[in-house]
Amino acid sequence: MMEMENFKHFLVALCAAGAVGLVSIIFVLRWVLHYKEGLGWDGGLAEFNWHPVLIVTGFVFLQGMAIIVYRLPWTWRCSKLTMKFIHAGLNLLAFICAVISMVAVFDFHNAAKIPNMYSLHSWLGLIAVTLYCLQLVLGVGMYLIPITPVSWRAAFMPLHVYSGLLLFSSVIAVALMGITEKLIFGLSNPKYKDSPPEAIFVNVLGVLLVVFGALILWIATRASWKRPNDQILHSLHTNVGGEDNTKVGPAMSQLSDAADDEAFGDVRRRSNKPDDQAN
Amino acid sequence: MMEMENFKHFLVALCAAGAVGLVSIIFVLRWVLHYKEGLGWDGGLAEFNWHPVLIVTGFVFLQGMAIIVYRLPWTWRCSKLTMKFIHAGLNLLAFICAVISMVAVFDFHNAAKIPNMYSLHSWLGLIAVTLYCLQLVLGVGMYLIPITPVSWRAAFMPLHVYSGLLLFSSVIAVALMGITEKLIFGLSNPKYKDSPPEAIFVNVLGVLLVVFGALILWIATRASWKRPNDQILHSLHTNVGGEDNTKVGPAMSQLSDAADDEAFGDVRRRSNKPDDQAN
């Protein structure tokens, strides 16, 4: 399906994303367990520490994996419906992590009498979680409920993809603002500006999150790394009726072919070609 | 060239981006002139204030305009070479703003004996400016120097587009971190957490920057809003030799046609269609 050379490039990018993502998780765990107060659920700083841990592991790493799950060539034999459930499931898990991580902060603030929702970080974070929830609900309504018309699915897809990548990027930006806040408020004697080891260590975590985001966005936006056309056609059959390809009548086949032409008739043609105007 | 309905959508997005961008510039000016110490070049806070002003007007707004300059339908009659010079010129201007804005911060830090380059904001900001400079040099070398082979231009284009959009997004993320730092360090009695008017005002500026970025990314990534294919073909002639279409010999025509097929043969076909797999 994918050329060998192209597949190698994909594998390198995928392994890099996985490695940088996992190292980020190790970094955030070491931050709270080694430099900070550890983890707990007591309304104190140990409860607050769930906030960065759940954001990095859930809202950043799991969301990143959810975005590129359709790109894994060894899943192209699975039905599209299965992959949609995995995509939605990972995003749901990421959303749950984000919600719990916000509860941890509100609990901590309320116990310590610190105001809630005053910072730009908190504003943009709440907007991101709200829009992420909306994206999840609309995505399930559009692509997992069998009765949604194929024409709606096709028309909504560019917005779904754009919103998904924008939300992912925004979540990383909000995480970087959170790291900045925490290093300023959490470090005293030596302060952040005196660059103690914790400051350097967590700055590196911030850089890792940006590299992880850049790799996920690269993988997600390469046209030649997309799930191929013929399997899309197949899965359109199986998803609309939940039936095997061979059982689909001629009318259904025509519907699928028409939808295929309309929405992604040029995917195969486009494969392995630069995706912008190159002069 | 563009359908009327599609053109209206483009105009709405463009006007929204322009409006939000200009309001952001007004906000950052009001921030430093009304709430802060104004502008000056004295090594003090008035010099520091050039930093947010030049970043918002130059590194965010001008860079955003540079990104979408090819999308303006009324420029499609201009030669591609002219548009490339405008694109490169705006990016160069944005880069100069970024460099001056960094000089202002270093001057201020040195005069006030504040360490340089300790924060995640400064790390990511310096990385962004450095990579932006590299992108500018490589872009000029690839697309404005006439001898660069067409095959190189085509092969490098996906990376040029990806890097450009990633750098633009990163610059906004770094600006949000800068706003966070400045509100924490710059507000005392009432502090940031007490939400004085300045804090609310500048938080709104942060939200505006995100909306501006989202609009520019939307405009830049709609396939049907790209400069059409036939004019690309024309400009390839004019750029390679700097000559009029009619003066180009048959060999050159063939080269251009081949490059056109290779690099963006499906642009016209793809127009007005959803740009992802929609089932």
Side-chain angles (χ1 to χ4, degrees):
Chain A
M1 213 56 70
M2 213 189 246
E3 281 170 39
M4 205 55 204
E5 191 66 16
N6 196 20
F7 179 65
K8 273 187 200 161
H9 290 162
F10 171 80
L11 265 192
V12 169
L14 180 70
C15 291
V20 174
L22 290 175
V23 172
S24 302
I25 293 174
I26 294 171
F27 263 63
V28 75
L29 286 172
R30 184 168 161 82
W31 183 22
V32 302
L33 297 175
H34 175 75
Y35 290 105
K36 291 281 152 197
E37 306 79 10
L39 293 166
W41 201 266
D42 53 0
L45 282 161
E47 183 170 338
F48 174 90
N49 289 343
W50 279 109
H51 184 67
V53 168
L54 287 171
I55 291 295
V56 171
T57 51
F59 216 21
V60 175
F61 184 75
L62 288 183
Q63 187 185 170
M65 293 298 117
I67 285 172
I68 59 163
V69 85
Y70 296 115
R71 300 295 181 276
L72 308 173
W74 42 92
T75 70
W76 291 348
R77 292 190 184 171
C78 304
S79 81
K80 185 77 183 254
L81 190 60
T82 306
M83 296 316 295
K84 287 185 193 181
F85 273 113
I86 295 175
H87 178 72
L90 285 171
N91 276 306
L92 181 64
L93 217 58
F95 176 68
I96 293 168
C97 288
V99 170
I100 299 173
S101 87
M102 290 201 325
V103 173
V105 173
F106 281 92
D107 270 5
F108 166 71
H109 279 182
N110 294 341
K113 308 252 186 265
I114 299 169
N116 289 303
M117 298 304 304
Y118 69 85
S119 70
L120 182 56
H121 166 73
S122 64
W123 289 24
L124 292 176
L126 191 66
I127 292 171
V129 171
T130 309
L131 292 178
Y132 193 77
C133 180
L134 185 69
Q135 168 90 337
L136 205 54
V137 170
L138 285 176
V140 169
M142 280 282 172
Y143 302 108
L144 279 176
I145 293 180
I147 58 162
T148 310
V150 170
S151 62
W152 289 20
R153 296 181 175 201
F156 182 65
M157 183 47 80
L159 191 62
H160 182 73
V161 170
Y162 165 83
S163 307
L165 298 183
L166 182 69
L167 280 169
F168 175 68
S169 314
S170 302
V171 165
I172 291 179
V174 175
L176 300 176
M177 297 165 73
I179 286 175
T180 298
E181 280 194 11
K182 184 63 189 171
L183 288 175
I184 295 173
F185 293 134
L187 288 170
S188 55
N189 208 4
K191 291 181 173 178
Y192 191 17
K193 70 177 170 62
D194 304 317
S195 293
E198 182 185 338
I200 307 290
F201 185 81
V202 182
N203 281 355
V204 172
L205 169 60
V207 175
L208 288 172
L209 292 180
V210 174
V211 174
F212 177 73
L215 287 165
I216 294 294
L217 292 172
W218 175 257
I219 293 170
T221 53
R222 294 313 91 198
S224 67
W225 291 354
K226 284 184 181 164
R227 197 178 157 98
N229 204 11
D230 45 359
Q231 285 160 343
I232 293 164
L233 190 59
H234 172 259
S235 64
L236 203 65
H237 291 286
T238 47
N239 184 40
V240 172
E243 291 172 300
D244 191 274
N245 221 354
T246 54
K247 294 180 194 160
V248 179
M252 187 76 86
S253 287
Q254 276 164 18
L255 170 74
S256 301
D257 288 349
D260 184 63
D261 282 348
E262 186 196 333
F264 29 76
D266 55 342
V267 170
R268 193 185 295 153
R269 210 174 295 120
R270 199 167 53 192
S271 292
N272 297 315
K273 288 183 180 174
D275 48 0
D276 210 311
Q277 306 170 354
N279 64 322
Chain B
M1 213 56 70
M2 214 191 245
E3 282 170 38
M4 205 54 203
E5 191 65 15
N6 195 20
F7 180 64
K8 275 186 200 163
H9 290 164
F10 172 79
L11 265 192
V12 169
L14 181 69
C15 292
V20 174
L22 290 175
V23 172
S24 302
I25 292 174
I26 293 171
F27 263 62
V28 75
L29 285 173
R30 184 169 161 81
W31 183 21
V32 301
L33 297 176
H34 175 75
Y35 290 106
K36 290 283 155 196
E37 306 79 10
L39 293 166
W41 202 266
D42 54 358
L45 283 161
E47 182 169 339
F48 174 90
N49 289 343
W50 280 108
H51 184 67
V53 168
L54 288 171
I55 291 296
V56 171
T57 52
F59 216 21
V60 175
F61 184 75
L62 288 183
Q63 186 185 170
M65 294 298 118
I67 285 172
I68 58 165
V69 86
Y70 297 114
R71 299 294 181 276
L72 308 174
W74 42 91
T75 69
W76 290 348
R77 291 188 184 172
C78 304
S79 81
K80 186 77 182 253
L81 189 61
T82 306
M83 297 314 296
K84 287 186 194 180
F85 272 113
I86 295 175
H87 177 72
L90 285 170
N91 275 306
L92 182 63
L93 218 56
F95 175 68
I96 292 169
C97 288
V99 170
I100 298 173
S101 88
M102 290 201 325
V103 172
V105 173
F106 280 94
D107 271 5
F108 166 72
H109 279 183
N110 293 341
K113 311 253 185 263
I114 298 170
N116 288 302
M117 298 302 304
Y118 69 86
S119 71
L120 182 54
H121 166 74
S122 64
W123 287 25
L124 292 176
L126 191 66
I127 293 171
V129 172
T130 309
L131 293 178
Y132 193 78
C133 180
L134 186 68
Q135 169 90 338
L136 205 55
V137 170
L138 284 177
V140 168
M142 280 282 172
Y143 301 109
L144 280 176
I145 292 179
I147 57 161
T148 310
V150 171
S151 63
W152 287 21
R153 297 181 174 202
F156 183 64
M157 182 47 78
L159 191 62
H160 182 73
V161 170
Y162 164 84
S163 305
L165 298 183
L166 182 69
L167 280 169
F168 175 67
S169 315
S170 301
V171 165
I172 292 180
V174 175
L176 300 175
M177 298 164 73
I179 286 176
T180 298
E181 280 193 11
K182 183 64 188 172
L183 287 175
I184 295 173
F185 293 135
L187 289 170
S188 55
N189 207 7
K191 289 182 174 178
Y192 191 18
K193 71 179 171 59
D194 303 317
S195 293
E198 181 184 338
I200 307 289
F201 186 81
V202 182
N203 281 356
V204 173
L205 169 61
V207 175
L208 287 172
L209 293 179
V210 175
V211 174
F212 176 74
L215 287 165
I216 294 293
L217 292 173
W218 176 256
I219 293 170
T221 54
R222 293 314 90 196
S224 67
W225 291 354
K226 283 184 180 162
R227 198 179 157 96
N229 205 10
D230 43 0
Q231 286 160 338
I232 293 164
L233 189 59
H234 171 258
S235 65
L236 202 66
H237 291 288
T238 48
N239 184 40
V240 172
E243 290 172 299
D244 190 273
N245 220 354
T246 53
K247 295 181 193 159
V248 178
M252 187 77 86
S253 288
Q254 275 165 19
L255 171 74
S256 300
D257 289 349
D260 185 62
D261 282 348
E262 185 197 333
F264 30 77
D266 56 341
V267 170
R268 193 184 297 153
R269 208 173 295 122
R270 197 168 55 194
S271 292
N272 298 314
K273 288 184 180 175
D275 48 1
D276 209 312
Q277 306 170 353
N279 63 322

